[in-house]
Each structure stands twice: as structure tokens, then as C-alpha cells.
Amino acid sequence: MDYVNAEFRGYRSPLSARYASKEMQYLFSDQHKFSTWRKLWILLAKAEKAIGLDITDEQIREMERHVEDIDFKAAATEEALTRHDVMAHVHVFAKQCPLAAPIIHLGATSCFVGDNTDLLILKEALEQLLPKLVGVIKQLSHFAVQYRDLPTLGFTHLQPAQLTTVGKRCSLWIQDLLMDERALRACRDNLRFRGVKGTTGTQASFLRLFAGDGDKVRQLDQTVTKLAGFERYYAVTGQTYSRKVDLEIVSALASLGATVHKMCSDLRLLASRKELEEPFELTQIGSSAMPYKRNPMRAERCCALSRHLITLHANAANTLAVQWLERTLDDSANRRLTLSEAFLSADAVLLTLLNISQGLVVYPKVIERNIAQELPFMSTENVIMAMVKAGGDRQVCHEKIRVLSHEAGAQVKQHGRDNDLVDRIKADAYFAPILGQLDSILDPKTFTGRAADQVLEFVKEEVDPIVAHYGDKVVTKSAQLKI
């Protein structure tokens, strides 16, 4: 088959082609990865020079001039020969920097650049995600406050239950998202640098470089860590930093996926009931066959990507579990997929959720109609109590309400008619003493308890401090979504 554009002849990840932001994609790009390797070789050289090794300023300046201009074709050729990605890039960098060639990667093992680069990327990726997550929280909190006192049917077992409010239900979504923010922030704040540890984590090669001076090796570890922007390094490692670190981070991301899946499943259910909808663009098509449809495609996308995100937890857990002794290489190929896809998926999910949270549409009249179908049944206890206060016998009243409720239920279930329990109560002379109270007895707002107050308290006490903590870093607007 003759393809016009070679770009479309190979596989492209939907995460980069359709979903994730350019900023997150760049973090996991080859350009960023390998330029970071070069930056780490420069930091190592600077630290080794500062502590006494014979390294010149000109050697360092030479390396600095070639941080970004990576010859990927030459690196691929070298790797085909050496079957070693780090040494391939050492050779290519050395050819570009002949003066610095003798001191590039001095004393280091492959994981010096590999693992430390991964840690730098993980830190930046977390810093990119958190303001987006807080942006979603902020937008949803506005929605929750706006609709804090709008009654709506609550559901347990997916069956109508006591009323809640639209804003109170939203606050449940926000509470889970706050837990995700806490977990991801902890991952970022607890993240450390691998530093300079050598082939099995003993720092033996660096001890030889500094003629057995352990204090200088410790100083080197601290200096490189500070130059890389970290406050702390892992005091002990094998050849790699513990893959428990990856597991903790992917676990937090998978937990975010579960939160989003739950919320967006709720949105899809509510859209089916026509009570609430996600944004729908003027030119958007819901179905190729059914022009009237307004499918919740954004919420569906969130659910789809979240399911993938959730499954990546097992990859990270299994990778940690099978790291024998000081390390095995069966982590490498898996981590290339798991870490990048976890962050790209989370990024795509948050971008989509931010778009949803900016434009949720509520249909109060539909909600009111749905309440009217169920509230008469829920109000029967209040009717009984009102009758007792008016001098009636509770048992007699209970029996009359039971009979009328079953009759009204038959109209709904067997004949598809509206709930007419209230009309039946009004038509029964027994209830004449309380007919003037029926409107207040059936006022939906009397069935929502402290829901509205709970929303205000929750936003003030738990949401606002988190949003304030991020200040102007909070992302509150999303660009138009990709297809």
C-alpha cells in the first residue's frame, strides 16, 4: 500500500498523539533524557574538580557547549555495536568533547545517569501534575458551593435513597481528590537523589578515585545531590535506587485513577438520568447514527485512561518484587513503559477532568421531576408523624399509608404512570387534619439535613487551605481537548 506520509506507517502511542500535554511528553522524550545525562556528567565533573580531582574548567565548558546537540543517529549506531545505551552516549559525547573525553563518566556506573535522570524526571512530573490536580479541586469546589443546597436523589445500591444535594455529592469527589493530592505531594517531598554510589552501591570506585578518603566520597555524594536540586540522597542503594520508590509513586497515580474513574462513572450515570452533563461543543457529534445523542465522551475517556493507569500498579509492584539482590535488568524495559505511561495517563486524565469541571451543566427541573417520583414514598414517615401530632393513631395511619403506597407503586411499576401517592393522600378524608401541611412536609430541602452547611464547612476548612498553598501555580483553565 502506498502511504503518502511515512509518519503514519509506524505505531504511535495515543498518549502522545491524542491525550497528554506537550510539557509532560517532553519530560519523557529522548531529547530531555539524554541531555539530562549530559548535565549529570557535567555536575559530576564539577563536583570531582571541586573536591580535588585534576579536571579543568575548559573541559567542563566544552561539555556545557554540547548539552543539547545530541547526534541520535550516531548514538544508535554505537548502541548497535556495544549493545549498551549509556556507553553509546558516552562515546558520542566524547567525540564531541575530545578535551573532556578522559573525564566523562569518571568513576560512575550506568545507573548514575540512568537512575538519577529518572528521579529528576519523576520529581518534575509530580510538580507538573499537582497544580493540575489542585485546579480540578478548585473548580469542583466552586461547583459544590454553587449547588450546595440543590436537593437531589441520593442513591445506595444504585436505588433511590434519602435526598442529598448536588453540591454535597460533588464534595465526596473532592474529598477523594484531596487524598490524592496529599499522596502525590508526599511522593514529591519524600523523593531523594541516588547520588554517586558505584556499581553495587558501595562507592568503591569513588573511594579509589580519592585515594581511600571516605570523607571526600561522602562530600562528592552531597555536592552532586545539591547541584542536581535535591536536598537529600538515599543513604544506601544497590546498583539502583530501590524500585520501592517507583511503586510508591505509581501506587499514588493508580489511586488517582481510581478516584477519577469513580467520579466520572457517577457523571455518566447522572448524564443517563439527564440531571447533569459535561460540556458539549456546538459542533460536537455524539453519534454517527443517532444525531440527537449527547454522549459523555470526556467522562468516558477519563474512565478508559484511568483503568489503564490503575493496572500499571501491578507492573511497579512486580518489578520491585523480582529485583534480585543488588539488581537485575528485567526492570529496565518494564520501567520504560510503566513510568512514562503512568504519568502521561495521569496528565491526560487531569487535563480532561479539568475541562469537564469547568463546564458542568445541571438541569434542576429534571432533578426536581425525578425527586417527585420518589419523595412521596420517602415522606411517609413524616406524614405519619404529622398525623400523630394532629391526634391520629400511629398504627391506623401506618396501615392507611401502606395501602396507599402500594397502590401508587403499582401505578408507577405496572402502568408506567407518575407517582400519585400525594393525590391519594389528599383524596382520603382521614388525612384532612394535615392537608395544609403537605407542601412543607414534601419540601425537598427539609430532607437534606446539614448537606449545604457541610459543603461550606468542608470547602473552608479543607479545600481552601490546599488551594491557597499552591497560589498562582494552580492550573484552572485547560486548552481545548485534542480529539
Side-chain angles (χ1 to χ4, degrees), residues 26-280:
Y26 176 72
L27 279 185
F28 292 93
S29 68
D30 285 347
Q31 178 64 44
H32 182 61
K33 174 181 177 179
F34 296 124
S35 64
T36 302
W37 284 12
R38 293 185 174 192
K39 290 174 184 176
L40 285 167
W41 283 321
I42 292 168
L43 297 185
L44 178 63
K46 286 181 175 180
E48 289 175 335
K49 177 182 183 299
I51 301 172
L53 293 189
D54 185 16
I55 296 172
T56 68
D57 290 336
E58 181 52 36
Q59 287 175 310
I60 292 172
R61 285 195 293 268
E62 183 183 54
M63 288 192 288
E64 289 176 332
R65 289 195 294 270
H66 295 283
V67 168
E68 300 292 340
D69 57 331
I70 300 167
D71 188 339
F72 287 99
K73 185 175 181 180
T77 300
E78 286 283 346
E79 187 172 351
L81 294 173
T82 63
R83 310 302 297 174
H84 198 289
D85 56 349
V86 174
M87 287 311 300
H89 280 270
V90 168
H91 292 165
V92 171
F93 196 27
K95 288 178 182 178
Q96 290 178 292
C97 307
L99 186 63
I103 55 93
I104 293 174
H105 198 66
L106 183 61
T109 187
S110 299
C111 287
F112 169 70
V113 288
D115 272 31
N116 283 323
T117 292
D118 285 345
L119 290 164
L120 285 164
I121 291 172
L122 292 175
K123 180 182 179 183
E124 177 58 29
L126 287 165
E127 289 176 347
Q128 282 194 26
L129 285 185
L130 281 164
K132 294 174 184 175
L133 173 55
V134 177
V136 172
I137 291 170
K138 182 177 181 179
Q139 294 286 12
L140 289 176
S141 70
H142 295 330
F143 179 87
V145 170
Q146 181 180 357
Y147 293 101
R148 65 188 181 277
D149 58 359
L150 179 61
T152 189
L153 282 175
F155 284 83
T156 59
H157 313 277
L158 203 53
Q159 302 299 313
Q162 193 173 64
L163 301 190
T164 184
T165 69
V166 171
K168 172 62 190 298
R169 176 179 285 142
C170 181
S171 71
L172 300 179
W173 304 331
I174 297 171
Q175 182 169 248
D176 288 349
L177 291 168
L178 285 173
M179 295 172 70
D180 294 315
E181 184 278 334
R182 181 186 65 196
L184 290 173
R185 177 161 41 89
C187 287
R188 182 199 64 187
D189 293 347
N190 292 328
L191 198 61
R192 303 185 187 187
F193 204 52
R194 178 186 175 274
V196 290
K197 296 297 192 297
T199 54
T200 57
T202 65
Q203 299 179 310
S205 59
F206 294 103
L207 196 62
R208 286 192 292 273
L209 273 178
F210 290 99
D213 191 331
D215 289 337
K216 287 186 176 180
V217 175
R218 181 175 171 82
Q219 184 182 351
L220 179 70
D221 210 354
Q222 294 170 338
T223 302
V224 173
T225 296
K226 294 286 186 181
L227 288 173
F230 281 81
E231 293 299 318
R232 297 174 296 173
Y233 55 75
Y234 294 108
V236 293
T237 72
Q239 187 171 87
T240 68
Y241 69 80
S242 172
R243 296 319 184 207
K244 184 78 169 180
V245 175
D246 295 344
L247 176 56
E248 285 188 345
I249 293 173
V250 175
S251 177
L253 294 172
S255 183
L256 170 64
T259 294
V260 175
H261 199 293
K262 193 278 181 197
M263 172 185 168
C264 288
S265 295
D266 286 353
L267 293 176
R268 292 162 66 189
L269 291 169
L270 294 169
S272 176
R273 293 176 57 79
K274 297 181 173 58
E275 294 188 357
L276 186 150
E277 283 183 347
E278 64 180 35
F280 196 89

